[in-house]
Amino acid sequence: MQSVVQVEPLTTARALRGPFDYVRPEGAEVGSLLEVPFGRQTLRAVVTALADSSPHELAVPRRVLPEAIPPELVALGLWMAREYCSTPARALSLMLPPSGVRAKAQLWAEPTAAGRDPGPEVRLTDNQRALLAALPRFAGTDLGALRRLEKRGLVTVAPRDRRRAPEHVAVGARRDPPVLNPEQEAAVHAIATAGPGERLLLHGVTGSGKTEVYLRAAEQTLRAGAGVIVLVPEIGLTPQMIARFVDRFGDTVAVLHSGLSQGERYDEWRRLRDGEARICVGPRSAVLAPLRGVGLVIVDEEHDGTYKHEGDPRYDARLVAQRRAELSGGVLVVGSATPRPESVHALRRIRLAHRADGARLPPVQIVDMRATAAGTVLHRRTHDALVDARKAIVLLNRRGWSNFLTCRSCGHTWECPQCDVTLVLHRAEGAMSCHHCGHREPVPRACPECASVSLARHGTGTERLEHELARIAPVVRLDAGVANPGEALQRFERADRAILVGTQVVAKGHDFADVDLGVVVDADGTLRFPDFRAEERTFSLVTQLAGRAGRGGRAGRVLVQTLDPDAPSIMHAVRHDSDGFLEGELQRRRALRYPPFATLIRIVCSSTEPGAAHAAAHAVRTAVDAAGGAGDGAMLLGPAPLFRLRGRERSQLVIKGPDRYAAIEAAGVAAAAVRAAKAHRTANLSVDVDPQ
DNA sequence: AGCACGCCGACT
DNA sequence: GTCGGCGTGCTC
Ligand SMILES: [Zn+2]
Ligand SMILES: [Zn+2]
């Protein structure tokens, strides 16, 4: 008789490997959350398995907590720990609701049989009759009056969990679902007839009605009795997708986004776990929602970088989504206008080639900046187009007023004391700020080296661009520095004439009618990062912006300012040729052995001790080599120095190997050895499988 | 990760 | 004598 539970105590310790055995308490199953004595401490622990016996002397858990997770999440957590070189405890911790929060109980009043319909012979005041008529409900401020009725046997008053429900932004009256076009019909049918564990890519141009396909697919899944998870990119705003799903499905939708209070988050978690809600919409962490029997996992805008979790375990929600669908026999659907080459390579593709409103995609035109003077922000042509436009979106991927400051007499530059990067000037705040660690200092009046007061500002960010564009039209700025992004978007939406200036956020997530011009100020900005995904990011950004222009009947166009007009990403974006772009990208990746033709693992070592980071990265390399490499055909790149961050020197080693599991195994073993070595005490190691 | 145990030098 | 430095090992 399975009288033993195997448990993972929830600690961040990496050296501590379970499972640990305890006496099985009443009601404990796989997925139960316990409080157990562990050494001299008391820890929460998740039951990962049951057993008949144990070679150890067993301790007795202190209690069974109410936040059990479904067994399928236990399996998913153990898989995540292995896949991302982490620990079961760290992975399982991500699946629990915020700790220290509980269900909120309030007193609930119900009429008894006698109180349900009291005849005129029962002596009651008007107030009491009104109170009885309004039951059942939470007692609230009428508790005194209700208690008196309770004494007379007319009412029962007892505690009951009260849901802290998040408020949803309404998107207008509930409309009848639109009629699907033939492409959408075919897509819905393909999803409905997909087999368990099947993976589909919905490759649809912007505005082709992917959301409606998701809604119909979700409806079918619900009708079949299974649950649905919908992942959306993390943007600082409430995703529009939430409103679309709530509008269609009401209370069976639970949301898990960063804007929720702890209490709301807890209650949404409980509703999913208890089966009261059967659809979960949210950013990457929603893939770990405690739904049972998931039949469909949707990943919208699957190219988006926010699906990667920064922090251990460094999971990729797209891969976890695939695994989750597989584990519960569900279907994975990822959608994008600019899918990743990885997805195109591995998934069955369904196309939506036409915009749902029948409109054509707006023309994308290159503005060649090579002939303009250095430091020019807007080309004459761009300027003129902005003057003519009614509503324009201008994208510049740099916050602040200017990039960096130098002294005109001695050349001094202002750098972050904690990081090896220049400080960015934010004029309105009167501050110089580090975008990597948050360090701030006042704007200098004079050079600390030579006392000169002649300081030069270099580069242009969104704050300065906002200032300059204000001469053309009213400007709304949207970037991470804006206090109320939702309000900014509404101002832009309502305006007759306006320019929306901002970083990537302006090209993501939000659809506006009537935008007739899109501008990418510095399209090479994303290309200048020495990164194998640079081309893909540029292509996606330009295409996504094109998708924002020319909706709602007005003809639109997009201007792309660039110093590199021949870059494949830009040329293909101009032709709206995502197939051509993807084909070239896959060829290049095959030739260079990049994903999906190999797995990349990035190991970053850091330390406050000079030289220790590099020494640790070197030791990882030696450890991998000593263990016979990272699988056939694997390569080690580095150690290569990274810029100092938060006072820590950094160095990285990259493993690139065609045998994914050999590479993961080698990285995990080598990192563990270096972490345990006394010589590398001060070094911190982070292992990132499938880095962005 | 905690937390205790233990073995050594420094100070009342 | 005893206070406290941290290296070592254990947690079902
Ligand atoms: Zn100077
Ligand atoms: Zn910094």
Side-chain angles (χ1 to χ4, degrees):
Chain A
M1 257 303 284
Q2 315 234 281
S3 57
V4 174
V5 285
Q6 301 196 328
V7 131
E8 287 291 342
L10 298 181
T11 152
T12 52
R14 248 186 271 263
L16 195 58
R17 288 298 158 105
F20 292 83
D21 299 347
Y22 287 84
V23 171
R24 181 182 181 183
E26 178 110 5
E29 302 290 342
V30 170
S32 290
L33 185 66
L34 310 177
E35 203 175 81
V36 296
F38 191 71
R40 258 139 288 248
Q41 26 178 354
T42 299
L43 292 178
R44 298 194 303 164
V46 175
V47 177
T48 56
L50 305 177
D52 293 320
S53 62
S54 167
H56 300 279
E57 195 174 308
L58 300 183
V60 182
R62 296 203 201 290
R63 57 197 181 115
V64 180
L65 298 168
E67 292 88 8
I69 59 175
E72 56 193 278
L73 280 189
V74 173
L76 190 69
L78 298 178
W79 171 83
M80 274 172 72
R82 273 178 275 121
E83 193 76 11
Y84 294 103
C85 297
S86 185
T87 65
R90 288 178 184 228
L92 291 167
S93 296
L94 296 173
M95 296 163 174
L96 296 170
S99 74
V101 189
R102 286 183 297 128
K104 181 177 177 180
Q106 283 190 347
L107 293 173
W108 175 260
E110 276 182 66
T112 60
R116 207 169 307 274
D117 197 14
E121 75 285 357
V122 186
R123 232 191 69 216
L124 290 168
T125 65
D126 289 353
N127 190 27
Q128 284 174 318
R129 283 188 193 277
L131 210 47
L132 279 171
L135 298 184
R137 67 165 172 80
F138 284 101
T141 54
D142 298 312
L143 183 60
L146 287 163
R147 286 289 191 206
R148 282 188 286 277
L149 292 169
E150 188 186 24
K151 281 215 185 73
R152 293 169 58 184
L154 299 169
V155 165
T156 59
V157 181
R160 176 179 176 144
D161 286 353
R162 174 157 203 171
R163 177 183 170 204
R164 290 151 285 195
E167 277 179 37
H168 300 293
V169 195
V171 286
R174 191 176 291 209
R175 284 154 284 145
D176 288 332
V179 176
L180 298 182
N181 65 34
E183 280 184 340
Q184 289 174 311
E185 290 275 11
V188 172
H189 183 256
I191 297 169
T193 53
E198 202 170 328
R199 303 172 293 162
L200 301 169
L201 164 63
L202 188 57
H203 185 179
V205 298
T206 51
S208 58
K210 288 191 284 291
T211 303
E212 191 54 40
V213 173
Y214 301 152
L215 288 163
R216 297 296 175 97
E219 198 181 324
Q220 288 173 346
T221 306
L222 284 189
R223 237 184 286 131
V228 180
I229 292 175
V230 185
L231 302 185
V232 295
E234 171 96 68
I235 42 176
L237 310 156
T238 314
Q240 281 178 326
M241 187 73 73
I242 289 178
R244 295 286 299 273
F245 270 81
V246 170
D247 194 35
R248 185 72 54 90
F249 298 107
D251 257 3
T252 197
V253 178
V255 300
L256 292 173
H257 64 82
S258 54
L260 301 187
S261 70
Q262 294 250 299
E264 288 170 337
R265 185 177 282 276
Y266 182 92
D267 289 358
E268 291 296 82
W269 189 92
R270 280 293 284 260
R271 291 201 316 126
L272 287 161
R273 205 274 313 265
D274 298 339
E276 287 166 34
R278 295 293 286 148
I279 303 179
C280 179
V281 185
R284 64 172 176 274
S285 60
V287 78
L288 309 177
L291 280 158
R292 280 166 202 270
V294 172
L296 176 65
V297 185
I298 294 167
V299 184
D300 189 35
E301 308 289 6
E302 70 99 24
H303 59 277
D304 193 86
T306 63
Y307 286 121
K308 183 75 183 175
H309 183 66
E310 306 291 335
D312 194 310
R314 300 183 159 266
Y315 69 91
D316 187 322
R318 295 164 289 207
L319 187 62
V320 179
Q322 178 184 317
R323 184 70 189 175
R324 178 127 203 217
E326 243 170 65
L327 281 172
S328 56
V331 175
L332 174 76
V333 175
V334 310
S336 176
T338 56
R340 295 176 302 157
E342 287 95 322
S343 302
V344 170
H345 182 70
L347 276 55
R348 189 175 124 215
R349 182 151 42 159
I350 314 168
R351 291 186 188 263
L352 300 178
H354 302 96
R355 279 192 163 187
D357 60 6
R360 302 210 12 240
L361 288 167
V364 175
Q365 295 157 3
I366 289 175
V367 178
D368 190 339
M369 297 295 280
R370 285 175 301 186
T372 59
T376 306
V377 180
L378 292 181
H379 194 280
R380 185 83 227 161
R381 260 178 73 202
T382 310
H383 181 272
D384 293 348
L386 283 165
V387 170
D388 290 341
R390 257 193 28 172
K391 275 194 166 179
I393 298 180
V394 178
L395 192 154
L396 174 60
N397 227 347
R398 238 176 280 135
R399 290 188 294 122
W401 184 270
S402 58
N403 272 1
F404 65 104
L405 230 61
T406 60
C407 167
R408 282 211 171 90
S409 8
C410 78
H412 175 80
T413 61
W414 276 259
E415 293 189 349
C416 176
Q418 300 296 311
C419 314
D420 290 332
V421 296
T422 58
L423 295 173
V424 176
L425 171 65
H426 290 257
R427 211 179 72 158
E429 296 149 53
M432 304 277 284
S433 132
C434 172
H435 286 183
H436 294 272
C437 75
H439 169 86
R440 294 165 71 85
E441 53 186 72
V443 179
R445 296 255 178 82
C447 173
E449 302 288 322
C450 72
S452 162
V453 291
S454 176
L455 310 179
R457 297 165 172 185
H458 302 272
T460 296
T462 47
E463 188 188 9
R464 181 166 176 182
L465 192 56
E466 172 190 23
H467 182 79
E468 289 181 8
L469 292 173
R471 278 177 284 186
I472 300 176
V475 180
V476 176
R477 179 159 61 92
L478 183 63
D479 59 39
V482 172
N484 189 345
E487 182 272 335
L489 283 176
Q490 278 188 4
R491 246 189 310 140
F492 178 67
E493 188 130 40
R494 292 206 192 106
D496 274 342
R497 179 151 198 266
I499 302 175
L500 179 67
V501 180
T503 49
Q504 298 203 26
V505 223
V506 300
K508 276 189 193 177
H510 267 252
D511 300 333
F512 309 98
D514 299 337
V515 170
D516 53 357
L517 177 66
V519 174
V520 183
V521 175
D522 179 18
D524 326 317
T526 44
L527 284 176
R528 282 192 289 265
F529 284 97
D531 171 348
F532 79 100
R533 283 190 231 273
E535 291 279 356
E536 190 186 323
R537 267 202 291 268
T538 304
F539 177 79
S540 157
L541 208 60
V542 174
T543 304
Q544 298 291 335
L545 186 62
R548 307 277 158 248
R551 287 194 172 190
R554 286 179 66 86
R557 64 172 169 149
V558 174
L559 298 180
V560 179
Q561 295 193 158
T562 177
L563 288 165
D564 188 6
D566 299 327
S569 52
I570 292 174
M571 284 170 50
H572 284 103
V574 166
R575 297 200 293 264
H576 300 296
D577 179 15
S578 79
D579 285 352
F581 175 72
L582 285 162
E583 198 181 304
E585 209 25 51
L586 274 168
Q587 262 175 34
R588 194 177 67 94
R589 293 206 187 176
R590 192 189 297 272
L592 298 175
R593 310 238 126 254
Y594 275 121
F597 306 103
T599 294
L600 292 184
I601 302 173
R602 199 167 86 113
I603 300 163
V604 177
C605 305
S606 73
S607 174
T608 51
E609 235 28 64
H614 180 266
H618 196 266
V620 176
R621 182 178 180 129
T622 309
V624 172
D625 282 335
D632 286 346
M635 288 169 67
L636 299 182
L637 313 168
L642 300 174
F643 70 85
R644 192 173 54 108
L645 179 66
R646 295 173 204 274
R648 305 179 71 87
E649 283 182 5
R650 298 183 302 155
S651 179
Q652 77 166 354
L653 180 74
V654 174
I655 300 175
K656 184 160 96 169
D659 182 344
R660 179 176 178 85
Y661 291 99
I664 290 173
E665 173 72 14
V669 170
V674 174
R675 279 198 268 249
K678 266 183 279 182
H680 302 291
R681 269 251 152 111
T682 71
N684 214 302
L685 309 213
S686 103
V687 180
D688 190 355
V689 178
D690 305 329
Q692 271 298 297

